[in-house]
Amino acid sequence: MSELALSVCELSKQYRIGKRAWYKTFRESLTTVATLPLRKMGIMRDTDEAADSELIWALKDVSFEVKRGEVVGFIGANGAGKSTLLKILSRITEPTEGCARINGRVGSLLEVGTGFHPELTGRENIFLNGAILGMKRAEILRKFDEIVAFSEVGKFIDTPVKHYSSGMYMRLAFSVAAHLDPEILIVDEVLAVGDAHFQKKCMGKMSDVAGQGRTVLFVSHNLNAVEQLCNQAVLMEQGKIRMRSHDVRSVIKAHLNSCMGDSAASEWHFRYETKADPWFQPLHFRITDAAGKSAPMPSGNDLEHWLEIDAEVWLVDPALKVGYVIHADDGTPVYQSFHVDGPEESWPVLSEGRHVFRTRIPPRFLNEGTYRIELVAALHNRQDIFQSGRNAPTIFLTIRGGLSDSPYWMAKRPGILGPVMEWTVQAK
Amino acid sequence: MSNSTAAISEVPAIHDIAKKAKPAQKFTLEIKASKGWVALNFREFWNYRELLYFMAWRNVMVRYKQTLLGVSWAILQPFMTMIVFSIFFGKLGKIPSDGIPYPIFSYCALLPWQLFAHSMTESGNSLVANQHLITKVYFPRLCIPTAPVISGLVDFAVAFIVLIGMMFYYGIYPGWAVVTLPLFVLLAACTSMAVGLWLSAMNAMYRDVRYTIPFLVQLWMFLTPVAYPASIVPENWRWLHGLNPMAGVVEGFRWALLGRTEPPGISLLVSIVMVMVMLVGGLFYFRRMEKYFSDRV
């Protein structure tokens, strides 16, 4: 059995919820101190009792071990405790109970560009940020050229970073972080920086790190990244570990299933207690058949499906675009589509009030399986209203059967799509 | 839930692992909840000395960025104060200055005073100002309130050049006592550090502190013989004056550099003891509160 890099034993962390500014004022503290003897004697009721009800366990009795060289991905919904766990392991905050034992030098990246100062140049920030992340000066000097080359900021290295574009800023920040080489690396959702090209480069760098026998703990909402990088996955739910396995794919599936469990459905309704968006608010999002009736799930692949968005347009804005992103069951986006994808003359004219947007998904185009469909909306190039992976209303389309009319194609074929394509064969 | 239990059993439960005692397995770090007072960890602080250097360097670099006058502000601040003091206290107020020209008398005191006042203010606000670091990266928290004291020393060194010029101008040359000057600089730095430790840790818990600091600085200045000589304090009250370490520092500066005042005696000793008590207390208090910083600041 190989050496352990990390052993976590019944780790728990309690937080007080409510206002973030829950630091006590001096007066409150004085009151607490002054009434202490009275409370001790039971004369006065403990005022903390009421406060206790606001305490939540962000992490409760979490135990696991990680062997040297393992790459562990932590997934789960927001607030499941992933980030709290990483914060404790990076020693930023103390656990309330339990312990964690670590063997090796830890480097943690809970954010890129921590400590970057806008007034300092790129060069100066590399040194400052490197030192904050725990690198030695000599180490930074040695890797300096590599860091600059990786970041692609080139000649701007001696410009104050406040003049950088946000992309350049993030690239430089990530580059410093990427050149940190601790024995145990803790990473929280920092890969989503820069453009697609740079993200690819980041992923490459991450798999290099993972490949060098380094132990990596990795939190991400990017399930593809988790699947590609990790050889073990942990699914967290409400501060506890719900599932842990070396079969990363099965953990991801369980996560997606549990996401589905909330709505479980091919229909989404706006809950009136939540705050509506000031521009555009979908009220009802569902999958229907050609006749406009809610499609039964699972559905056959030989049927056509329509996505129907019944929505209120509050403010008419020519930049408004409404659409959807469809994801395969492992989280891979299949494609996205917007109601303004056609030429400008063909765009529907919106006015204030209720509208029903409908779009067709052709039959025998998707494959057997469950697809996650997110409703996305944005003011083009200005502002996201419903953003994929963040606040997009989500429904699921499950397709089973009806794959083709061919006797040779009865079972599911591998692939994200399963379209029946046209063939012609001519004798020559 | 049924599939999840199956998956968990794939990995041995932690209790089983614990039972199979593995003497070979060693851990370099244990993370658990600390209780009460915590031991100081100077070794770790020493390991992070480069970070401390970079933080101090950042403070220096950033302080005068995008200013026209740049680092000359380090000189202008005490120099302008000296002019104002000389006009109002020296000329108009006729405050005695132990037979030393009032401008150099006050400038010589303003240097250590501003070192203390700036370092203490910045140190006291440092945790709040660096909260984005505290919540994202681990490093010995002690670096944060320490760095402003170091960068304060840099400003002090710059302003000190002017003092040398003034000494030539007034033809005042220090005697052997000048070798004790580093001691007084150290004492001023330790005082600001000691107060800064207490203030920064309290500031992270209670923002009231932020508003108290400017007031504290002002009040403290009146209790320190910056604008007036310590000799106007009645003899039998001198020891009480010594409870204010900055009084010892300021008098020490005048004695070491200008040489015409009486050498610091018992009050300096009281000052040193006072600073040591405040500093050690501050270190322990800071260390004790450390665990709350990232959640509360």
Side-chain angles (χ1 to χ4, degrees), chain A residues 193-362:
Chain A
V193 301
D195 51 15
H197 158 75
F198 194 71
Q199 277 192 23
K200 216 166 164 185
K201 209 164 146 182
C202 297
M203 279 292 286
K205 187 78 192 172
M206 280 295 292
S207 27
D208 284 354
V209 170
Q212 287 157 8
R214 219 78 61 72
T215 311
V216 184
L217 306 184
F218 178 51
V219 161
S220 184
H221 288 286
N222 181 344
L223 300 176
N224 285 312
V226 171
E227 189 172 348
Q228 276 180 46
L229 294 173
C230 303
N231 52 29
Q232 192 184 147
V234 176
L235 171 59
M236 298 197 63
E237 225 166 62
Q238 292 169 349
K240 295 189 173 126
I241 293 184
R242 217 201 83 186
M243 183 176 176
R244 182 160 94 91
S245 171
H246 289 280
D247 181 2
V248 176
R249 186 178 279 270
S250 73
V251 180
I252 291 175
K253 274 229 168 96
H255 171 50
L256 292 173
N257 282 331
S258 73
C259 290
M260 211 166 18
D262 310 338
S263 50
S266 54
E267 258 182 83
W268 176 90
H269 287 275
F270 176 59
R271 293 204 316 271
Y272 283 90
E273 64 270 29
T274 53
K275 200 174 167 293
D277 182 86
W279 271 281
F280 171 78
Q281 181 59 56
L283 304 171
H284 190 192
F285 178 35
R286 63 172 183 155
I287 301 164
T288 70
D289 58 19
K293 282 192 300 214
S294 283
M297 286 296 139
S299 184
N301 209 17
D302 50 345
L303 302 169
E304 67 177 34
H305 297 99
W306 288 78
L307 294 180
E308 188 183 281
I309 303 165
D310 179 359
E312 186 91 47
V313 176
W314 300 116
L315 280 171
V316 179
D317 192 307
L320 178 70
K321 55 176 190 177
V322 177
Y324 67 98
V325 189
I326 181 163
H327 302 268
D329 64 354
D330 62 353
T332 315
V334 181
Y335 66 90
Q336 44 178 302
S337 169
F338 287 99
H339 85 285
V340 286
D341 286 345
E344 207 164 339
E345 311 85 74
S346 73
W347 294 358
V349 178
L350 299 178
S351 52
E352 268 175 39
R354 286 280 278 274
H355 292 76
V356 177
F357 296 75
R358 282 168 64 83
T359 173
R360 177 172 169 270
I361 298 176

